[in-house]
Amino acid sequence: MTNDSAPQLLPAEGGPVPTGRIPELLHAAVTAVGGVERPGQIQMAEAVAAAVDSAEHLLVQAGTGTGKSLAYLVPALAHGDRVVVATATLALQRQLVERDLPRTVEALHPILRRRPLFAMLKGRSNYLCLHRANEGTPSDEGEGLFDPAEVLGGASSKLGQDVLRLRDWADETETGDRDDLTPGVSDKAWAQLSVSSRECLGASRCAYGQECFAEKARERAKLADVVVTNHALLAIDAIEGAPVLPEHELLIIDEAHELVNRVTGAATAELTVGAVNRAVKRAAKLANEKAVDALQAAAESYHGLMETAQPGKVDELPEYLGYAVAAIRDASRLVITSLGETRDKGLSDEDAVRKQAMAAAETLHDTTERLLSESPYDVVWIERNDRYGLVPASLRVAPMTVSGLLREKLYQERSVVLTSATLKLGGDFTGVAGSVGLPAEGRLPDQRTGGEPERAGGEDAPPYWRGLDVGSPFSYPKQGILYVAKHLPPPGREPERPQMLDELAELIEAAGGRTLGLFSSMRAAQTAAEQLRERLELPILLQGEDTLGELIRAFASDAPTCLFGTLSLWQGVDVPGSACQLVVMDRIPFPRPDDPLMSARQKAVEEAGGNGFMAVAATHAALLMAQGAGRLVRAADDRGVVAVLDPRLATARYGGFFRSSMPDFWYTTDRNQVRRSLAAIDASAPPVRPVAKRG
């Protein structure tokens, strides 16, 4: 006869905990953070443990309030092997490292009989470089640090002040992590005192190698049981040959709806006039004159062409542009060869100036080679960010899809858990799963349903995965209304929609402010803010007029205040309580018809016999709408309305797909009912508590 609580069920020191004890561990962890276990949280924790035990992959949709962080941390710590947790946002990384992990480790110590170590790891350029801080920066990077006019008046430029502050901070900080610097500095200032992996001298060759912040972070990660990182570094680890992350048996990808975009960004290259000119300046210090002259001539030719280049997708490089890109490739190769040969100036291969020049030339060479290869797996386009044409355009190249890369690199030698509040689109996991490299043929049934299929073996076998929706602790039909303004005319391309603005103004007045306005473009957000500021006696904040953190703090602190903005607000706002009772989307956020990458992906799906619109444009928009709608209900007592001012959500054939991708709010197209509901919610709302300013 066995006593279930007998000591023999405790793990050997450092060993794994039996899966059956996951609920006990979860209870201890949740109690430690002052929470309450939820059925979905328990279900998710047990599913994560089962996936690790069976070497499978798992997609888990866990609604807001489920407590998914603890639901994956507890079984990960119980398993005993190293785990990497990759997130998309700094806020979640900080929550894990500063709150969830410390409390969970202490709470589980009596049961695990060990205290797992944890660390945060980011890409090298996120850490201040002590060599740069102490030895200065090359002159081409330092130009503009001080404004001559301001220096004559005795004051340094803003850029110069930021660099001086960074140098002082280098003596104070323990981490050198940019995100620990408050207040922050511009990207241009940070670039003066940071290096890329290509520019780094290497710990063994740098005078500051023993003190290097990036190297210390890597060493901590090597010793840690849990490594918290970001999607960008995970992408780099998958794309580049040399591993960046330490070996691990379990990978957890939180905010997994963002993974494809982050990996695509990491795999995208750009050939700008500025980058070519910087490479010329750096090469001039060390490379031979012939190589530098060749790169200079190529830079001037490319500059001339890009000044008048028109934006759009490039199916095949025009002959004149192909010659210019080839000239940059050939000249950069000459520079690389020259930099490897010149050793007569008292500078070694490890010198920072040489490293920087070599990195710039190698990046140019790699990008031009990729552009000239015209791979069918890449999309090339000309991009012009300056709408007035004052800045030359650039060439960009991105992968047609990253699903094959992820399938090959992510799932081979470890279990992967992907989780988010939005992974099911149209009520199914298949679309998102396919985009992250998990094909439909590898899907396994929910463990509760039985009927396990026979699995194929061998190298060609698909990654096997399960999908699980653990729901949300919130009662969406009782807490929120999804209102579609069916009576409005469909939106066109112009941002000025008078009837939409009339509807928006009436909704905001009924809600007494308390509105988060999510717009499909910055121009639309600006137009709405400008016009409604004249019509309403309510404060309207606009993204870009202050830092995002300050805008959200002000919005959360004052009930009548509204906040308008675009992409980062669709996913990055967490304001529970009565400060946010109306979330408005101006239109379904389809990608622009002229978006080169999206249109190319859509065309590829259609050529393969699929529905390109649903697979690409609708999927993109549905993910955003699901995230945007999720801004409304952040706590059990939140009440409010999500208003979509685009009648297509009610009238178009694809409307049902979008609605089933969003939280299960009570649905209506009755404008009068919604105004009455908003007025009632506003009247019963408790006072807004001021949000303390972080500092």
Side-chain angles (χ1 to χ4, degrees):
M1 190 169 176
T2 303
N3 183 350
D4 288 343
S5 61
Q8 65 261 30
L9 285 186
L10 285 172
E13 189 141 351
V17 174
T19 302
R21 299 195 68 180
I22 291 297
E24 176 190 351
L25 292 171
L26 184 63
H27 176 77
V30 172
T31 302
V33 300
V36 178
E37 297 158 87
R38 303 182 184 279
Q41 187 182 42
I42 298 171
Q43 186 184 0
M44 177 176 173
E46 292 178 332
V48 171
V52 176
D53 287 345
S54 57
E56 294 171 354
H57 310 299
L58 179 68
L59 267 69
V60 186
Q61 177 162 292
T64 305
T66 301
K68 60 183 168 64
S69 298
L70 291 184
Y72 60 67
L73 286 178
V74 166
L77 293 172
H79 187 65
D81 290 321
R82 179 182 285 128
V83 57
V84 168
V85 180
T87 77
T89 61
L90 172 64
L92 182 52
Q93 291 171 45
R94 285 195 176 279
Q95 176 188 314
L96 290 171
V97 172
E98 296 176 4
R99 191 188 75 178
D100 292 348
L101 276 165
R103 294 179 183 180
T104 304
V105 165
E106 286 305 310
L108 300 188
H109 174 245
I111 307 172
L112 296 181
R113 302 174 67 188
R114 52 186 167 84
R115 284 190 173 88
L117 301 175
F118 52 89
M120 188 183 293
L121 182 63
K122 303 175 184 177
R124 187 172 293 276
S125 60
N126 289 278
Y127 301 97
L128 183 139
C129 173
L130 288 171
H131 188 280
R132 284 276 184 95
N134 291 292
E135 304 298 330
T137 57
S139 59
D140 70 289
E141 292 295 328
E143 291 175 3
L145 285 182
F146 300 96
D147 184 334
E150 290 183 311
V151 170
L152 289 174
S156 64
S157 68
K158 177 64 167 65
L159 180 58
Q161 290 173 357
D162 282 346
V163 170
L164 292 175
R165 183 159 67 87
L166 282 171
R167 286 187 172 136
D168 290 338
W169 182 68
D171 296 327
E172 304 167 2
T173 177
E174 294 183 2
T175 65
D177 186 336
R178 181 180 182 178
D179 293 321
D180 291 338
L181 176 67
T182 305
V185 297
S186 67
D187 290 345
K188 191 171 183 180
W190 183 258
Q192 312 303 317
L193 273 75
S194 65
V195 295
S196 66
S197 57
R198 274 183 166 172
E199 294 171 326
C200 177
L201 296 172
S204 63
R205 298 165 179 168
C206 178
Y208 302 91
Q210 296 301 311
E211 307 163 61
C212 175
F213 295 121
E215 290 298 325
K216 285 183 177 180
R218 286 195 172 196
E219 289 304 315
R220 288 192 294 270
K222 288 178 183 176
L223 298 173
D225 300 281
V226 179
V227 178
V228 178
T229 188
N230 52 42
H231 289 182
L233 192 63
L234 178 64
I236 292 169
D237 188 74
I239 293 168
E240 297 188 356
V244 180
L245 296 168
E247 289 188 6
H248 52 282
E249 286 69 36
L250 172 61
L251 171 63
I252 296 170
I253 303 173
D254 205 340
E255 302 168 309
H257 62 277
E258 275 285 286
L259 182 63
V260 169
N261 286 339
R262 301 301 172 103
V263 175
T264 299
T268 298
E270 185 175 21
L271 185 64
T272 68
V273 169
V276 183
N277 287 334
R278 281 193 297 274
V280 171
K281 288 183 179 181
R282 294 174 181 179
K285 297 181 178 71
L286 292 170
N288 64 48
E289 187 175 346
K290 179 181 177 182
V292 175
D293 287 348
L295 189 56
Q296 177 70 58
E300 292 172 357
S301 174
Y302 185 64
H303 189 162
L305 293 173
M306 289 294 103
E307 280 190 313
T308 57
Q310 296 302 306
K313 184 171 175 289
V314 178
D315 293 318
E316 184 177 346
L317 283 178
E319 188 175 8
Y320 65 90
L321 190 53
Y323 282 140
V325 173
I328 296 173
R329 177 199 60 190
D330 296 342
S332 61
R333 185 187 297 130
L334 288 175
V335 169
I336 293 168
T337 302
S338 176
L339 289 172
E341 293 173 346
T342 53
R343 305 176 185 274
D344 58 347
K345 298 187 179 182
L347 298 172
S348 67
D349 283 342
E350 293 76 44
D351 181 83
V353 177
R354 184 185 306 279
K355 261 290 194 181
Q356 192 179 56
M358 185 70 84
E362 288 175 342
T363 300
L364 281 187
H365 186 268
D366 291 350
T367 302
T368 51
E369 278 277 308
R370 186 173 170 190
L371 287 166
L372 292 167
S373 72
E374 297 186 340
S375 167
Y377 303 109
D378 275 339
V379 180
V380 177
W381 71 96
I382 295 173
E383 184 165 292
R384 185 178 288 280
N385 293 320
D386 176 21
R387 44 188 297 205
Y388 300 105
L390 300 177
V391 178
S394 61
L395 274 170
R396 304 198 82 193
V397 54
M400 178 74 74
T401 176
V402 297
S403 60
L405 170 71
L406 293 175
R407 174 174 174 172
E408 178 186 354
K409 301 291 186 180
L410 229 54
Y411 306 106
Q412 298 303 315
E413 298 177 356
R414 54 192 167 186
S415 289
V416 181
V417 174
L418 301 102
T419 185
S420 168
T422 49
L423 288 179
K424 290 175 71 175
L425 297 180
D428 189 70
F429 283 106
T430 306
V432 171
S435 71
V436 297
L438 294 172
E441 60 267 26
R443 184 170 186 175
L444 300 169
D446 189 314
Q447 289 170 329
R448 295 170 299 178
T449 63
E452 190 77 6
E454 185 175 340
R455 307 187 195 187
E459 294 183 1
D460 296 331
Y464 290 104
W465 60 278
R466 300 181 195 273
L468 175 66
D469 182 0
V470 299
S472 169
F474 303 145
S475 178
Y476 287 122
K478 295 180 179 179
Q479 291 184 247
I481 297 172
L482 172 61
Y483 163 61
V484 180
K486 186 178 178 180
H487 62 283
L488 292 178
R493 292 195 175 188
E494 70 289 342
E496 294 82 8
R497 296 171 59 198
Q499 291 172 275
M500 183 275 288
L501 291 175
D502 291 342
E503 180 84 9
L504 177 57
E506 291 176 15
L507 290 169
I508 291 174
E509 284 186 312
R514 310 176 188 271
T515 300
L516 177 64
L518 305 177
F519 293 83
S520 54
S521 71
M522 200 62 230
R523 189 179 171 196
Q526 291 167 345
T527 299
E530 290 168 3
Q531 295 199 22
L532 294 191
R533 280 169 175 169
E534 296 177 359
R535 296 167 59 171
L536 303 176
E537 294 182 0
L538 293 167
I540 296 178
L541 307 176
L542 178 63
Q543 183 180 351
E545 294 180 344
D546 202 340
T547 65
L548 189 58
E550 282 300 303
L551 289 172
I552 293 173
R553 186 194 65 80
F555 173 57
S557 298
D558 183 40
T561 296
C562 304
L563 174 58
F564 290 1
T566 184
L567 188 59
S568 55
L569 296 188
W570 287 75
Q571 306 182 80
V573 178
D574 184 9
V575 179
S578 57
C580 180
Q581 294 187 331
L582 173 62
V583 174
V584 179
M585 304 179 198
D586 69 327
R587 64 199 297 166
I588 297 173
F590 289 120
R592 298 190 329 268
D594 60 349
D595 183 301
L597 185 55
M598 288 294 187
S599 60
R601 287 176 170 175
Q602 188 166 322
K603 182 180 178 182
V605 172
E606 291 166 356
E607 289 176 347
N611 186 326
F613 169 76
M614 292 302 296
V616 179
T619 293
H620 168 88
L623 274 174
L624 271 180
M625 293 193 78
Q627 284 288 310
R631 302 309 97 199
L632 181 68
V633 176
R634 311 298 296 177
D637 55 355
D638 284 354
R639 300 288 186 277
V641 171
V642 172
V644 181
L645 308 185
D646 185 337
R648 294 175 296 178
L649 192 66
T651 60
R653 285 184 299 173
Y654 50 75
F657 172 78
F658 284 98
R659 295 196 302 274
S660 63
S661 302
M662 299 164 74
D664 187 24
F665 296 128
W666 187 74
Y667 172 63
T668 184
T669 59
D670 187 336
R671 58 192 302 197
N672 295 321
Q673 173 64 54
V674 166
R675 282 157 181 71
R676 290 193 296 270
S677 297
L678 281 171
I681 293 169
D682 179 38
S684 63
V688 172
R689 297 178 182 176
V691 176
K693 185 176 180 178
R694 290 185 63 183

